[in-house]
Amino acid sequence: MTISTEDPVPVARAGPVASAAAPERDETSPTDLLLPLAVLGAAGVLAGYGYVRRTRRARTRTTPGMVSVRPPAPTADEFERQARTALVVADDSVRTSREELAFAEALSGAEAVAPFARALRAAETELAAAFAIRRRYEQGVPQDEVARRQALVGVVGRCAEAGRRLDAEAPGFDQLRALERGAGEALEIAEGRFRELAGRTGGAALTLGGLGERFAASVVKPVTGYLEQAKDRLVFATGHLNACRQADDAAARERAARHLRAAEGAIAQADVLVSGVERLAAQVREAAGLVPAALTGAEAEIAAAREAGPADVPAGELRARIARADGVLRAVREELTGGPYDPVGALRHIARAVEPLGVGRAGVIGAAVRLVARGAVGAAEDFVDTHRGAVGAEARTLLAEAARLLAVGGPGVALADQLARQARDLAERDVRAHGTPYSGDPVTGLGGAVLGGILLAEEPDGGPPASFGGPETRGRRGLRPGRPPGPDPA
């Protein structure tokens, strides 16, 4: 399970609606043909169970009553909750599997992990199709009520298939890692990444301080608090690395594997947070170097619009657009000479100012749009990655669409920037509403580990660490019945 207020994920397979959303295939697989039947079968089982319960209640009532021969169908709200929950669980499963796969590859090599990498790519494809269906649904497509419910079933089915792909490979993946036979080299790799990250965290702090001194405060806003969170993850990792080594020395292999996976998850998220600061610094430096050229390019586009603007824009409207663009460029120049400024924000203003002129987005303006969009999508990805225990389906759907548009390129890149920023805002709203779980727990870093989805919050000590796999297997390293939570015995 994941930290969410939504309903548990339904185990259903994709139907025809979902299949239409996925990339075209060369041939129809037997799985695709069976998916609608699986969805209907699961729905029938649940409906039948409910019918039997209602019938028994009716028979034991003292007052006469009518028993409906048909159980009520799920409501639109129930379909909605199932689809949202399915997206969150599938997305979490993919993100966690990607993280652990990197640790496995560091030890065993790319060739050894190739089958699991293929399964992950297949799951990513199914998840992308699910997000695409959900995105169109939110835009009102399709309009027919029955078709809209089928679309939600398609979302659930695609997510179920993504999870199935990962669940099917989890046993083989565990055999490759062989953590239950001894942490050994896997522990050494985790400790090596830990030490490297500890050094980078100090350097990133200096970098962040330099950005704050040179540029406007808005520059560092996307990564505010990241280094503190990275340190929190590293403190959490420290405790579990030590516990893993103690358990491994005591031949408590299962407990050692549990501690190692918790540490690996924390290290991976610390890496995301530190890398986010480093990437922002590089982006700001690149943007600062591009601003003068972007101003020149924007002036050229304004001149071209004056000479021959879009044919479908009335002359009066075109003059108004040109005037607004001129005003934006003047404001940007004033920012450049008036003290600390935001280079990324300046590029965003320039690009948006000339966009309505419709004279083309090639050259330096196009480069500015791509730079800004990459930064926005990357920042939103980092936030969702490290707060996945609280972020809901709405933010993830917008982020998936932003990432798709950025990958496709062309005119949609500007929209990718907008959607990514909206996704980040929604994700932050979700985190504020969720709060910090386990904040009063004496185990240092536990709250951040649960908020980040490193632990699944199913047990008193924060729950099992999330592992490679889908909904059925990702929590397999939980405590066995009768085993108390807490540190390993000395």
Side-chain angles (χ1 to χ4, degrees), residues 244-262:
C244 173
R245 186 163 292 281
Q246 293 171 8
D248 197 51
D249 291 342
R253 307 302 190 196
E254 291 183 5
R255 292 177 70 84
R258 176 184 170 101
H259 286 301
L260 179 59
R261 271 305 303 142

Side-chain angles (χ1 to χ4, degrees), residues 14 58 121 148 235 289 333 346 402 434:
R121 288 193 297 271
R148 287 179 67 77
V235 168
R333 292 191 192 95
H434 184 268

Side-chain angles (χ1 to χ4, degrees), residues 17 43 107 147 149 154 191 233 240-241 259 324 354 359 373 386 445 478 486:
V17 176
L107 175 61
R149 291 197 178 192
E191 290 174 335
R233 302 294 195 274
H240 284 276
L241 288 173
H259 286 301
R324 286 194 293 269
V354 299
V359 292
T386 54

Side-chain angles (χ1 to χ4, degrees), residues 102-164:
F103 284 96
E105 183 175 352
L107 175 61
S108 303
E111 185 176 351
V113 302
F116 311 107
R118 286 194 295 271
L120 177 59
R121 288 193 297 271
E124 289 171 339
T125 299
E126 296 289 347
L127 180 60
F131 275 126
I133 298 170
R134 177 68 192 186
R135 173 65 178 166
R136 289 195 297 273
Y137 177 90
E138 291 177 347
Q139 293 175 316
V141 180
Q143 296 182 348
D144 177 73
E145 190 61 32
V146 174
R148 287 179 67 77
R149 291 197 178 192
Q150 290 176 343
L152 293 178
V153 171
V155 170
V156 174
R158 287 289 181 182
C159 291
E161 179 62 11
R164 187 196 67 79

Side-chain angles (χ1 to χ4, degrees), residues 297-375:
E299 290 168 351
E301 293 209 10
I302 291 174
R306 284 194 177 98
E307 184 174 339
D312 58 341
V313 178
E317 174 62 22
L318 180 60
R319 286 194 296 271
R321 294 181 183 183
I322 291 173
R324 286 194 293 269
D326 277 330
V328 171
L329 297 190
R330 282 195 302 271
V332 170
R333 292 191 192 95
E334 291 174 0
E335 287 183 10
L336 265 61
T337 58
Y341 75 107
D342 183 345
V344 177
L347 287 181
R348 182 176 283 115
H349 293 320
I350 293 169
R352 289 184 177 177
V354 299
E355 182 179 13
L357 303 181
V359 292
R361 303 303 300 273
V364 66
I365 298 300
V369 173
R370 289 190 295 273
L371 172 62
V372 170
R374 281 200 311 270

Side-chain angles (χ1 to χ4, degrees), residues 129-481:
F131 275 126
I133 298 170
R134 177 68 192 186
R135 173 65 178 166
R136 289 195 297 273
Y137 177 90
E138 291 177 347
Q139 293 175 316
V141 180
Q143 296 182 348
D144 177 73
E145 190 61 32
V146 174
R148 287 179 67 77
R149 291 197 178 192
Q150 290 176 343
L152 293 178
V153 171
V155 170
V156 174
R158 287 289 181 182
C159 291
E161 179 62 11
R164 187 196 67 79
R165 296 288 185 108
L166 296 173
D167 283 330
E169 298 297 333
F173 187 79
D174 284 349
Q175 289 181 5
L176 174 70
R177 297 213 71 191
L179 297 183
E180 280 75 10
R181 293 199 297 270
E185 292 182 61
L187 177 57
E188 293 178 3
I189 288 174
E191 290 174 335
R193 284 193 62 181
F194 174 90
R195 290 189 293 269
E196 183 249 344
L197 267 171
R200 282 173 53 199
T201 302
L206 295 176
T207 299
L208 195 60
L211 290 177
E213 293 174 0
R214 182 180 175 187
F215 298 104
S218 58
V219 165
V220 299
K221 183 179 178 181
V223 296
T224 299
Y226 272 26
L227 294 184
E228 289 75 14
Q229 294 176 50
K231 293 175 183 177
D232 181 72
R233 302 294 195 274
L234 291 177
V235 168
F236 177 84
T238 299
H240 284 276
L241 288 173
N242 291 336
C244 173
R245 186 163 292 281
Q246 293 171 8
D248 197 51
D249 291 342
R253 307 302 190 196
E254 291 183 5
R255 292 177 70 84
R258 176 184 170 101
H259 286 301
L260 179 59
R261 271 305 303 142
E264 287 176 344
I267 291 167
Q269 290 199 6
D271 195 353
V272 169
L273 293 163
V274 173
S275 296
V277 174
E278 296 169 340
R279 186 180 62 248
L280 175 68
Q283 178 195 16
V284 171
R285 288 193 295 267
E286 185 178 355
L290 193 58
V291 167
L295 284 169
T296 302
E299 290 168 351
E301 293 209 10
I302 291 174
R306 284 194 177 98
E307 184 174 339
D312 58 341
V313 178
E317 174 62 22
L318 180 60
R319 286 194 296 271
R321 294 181 183 183
I322 291 173
R324 286 194 293 269
D326 277 330
V328 171
L329 297 190
R330 282 195 302 271
V332 170
R333 292 191 192 95
E334 291 174 0
E335 287 183 10
L336 265 61
T337 58
Y341 75 107
D342 183 345
V344 177
L347 287 181
R348 182 176 283 115
H349 293 320
I350 293 169
R352 289 184 177 177
V354 299
E355 182 179 13
L357 303 181
V359 292
R361 303 303 300 273
V364 66
I365 298 300
V369 173
R370 289 190 295 273
L371 172 62
V372 170
R374 281 200 311 270
V377 171
E381 283 281 5
D382 292 347
F383 190 87
V384 173
D385 240 358
T386 54
H387 299 79
R388 70 187 71 155
V391 177
E394 188 178 3
R396 297 177 195 237
T397 301
L398 286 179
L399 177 55
E401 178 66 6
R404 186 191 69 81
L405 292 171
L406 179 62
V408 171
V413 174
L415 179 57
D417 173 47
Q418 298 177 31
L419 293 180
R421 298 180 76 196
Q422 292 175 23
R424 173 71 182 265
D425 290 342
L426 289 172
E428 290 180 348
R429 180 203 65 185
D430 291 342
V431 171
R432 287 193 298 270
H434 184 268
T436 303
Y438 296 84
S439 57
D441 195 282
V443 180
T444 305
L446 182 58
V450 173
L451 184 64
I454 298 167
L455 303 180
L456 298 179
E458 296 173 357
E459 295 162 359
D461 65 343
S467 299
F468 181 102
E472 297 298 322
T473 58
R474 67 188 186 125
R476 59 188 175 275
R477 291 194 169 92
L479 291 173
R480 291 187 309 195

Side-chain angles (χ1 to χ4, degrees), residues 55-124:
T55 301
R56 288 175 178 173
R57 284 199 301 267
R59 288 173 177 173
T60 56
R61 284 198 301 249
T62 56
T63 56
M66 296 294 293
V67 178
S68 173
V69 296
R70 291 184 180 180
T75 66
D77 288 343
E78 289 170 343
F79 275 116
E80 279 277 354
R81 283 194 297 270
Q82 290 176 3
R84 289 195 301 267
T85 302
L87 284 169
V88 169
V89 174
D91 192 40
D92 282 352
S93 298
V94 165
R95 290 175 183 274
T96 299
S97 298
R98 189 185 299 133
E99 288 173 357
E100 189 175 0
L101 187 67
F103 284 96
E105 183 175 352
L107 175 61
S108 303
E111 185 176 351
V113 302
F116 311 107
R118 286 194 295 271
L120 177 59
R121 288 193 297 271
E124 289 171 339

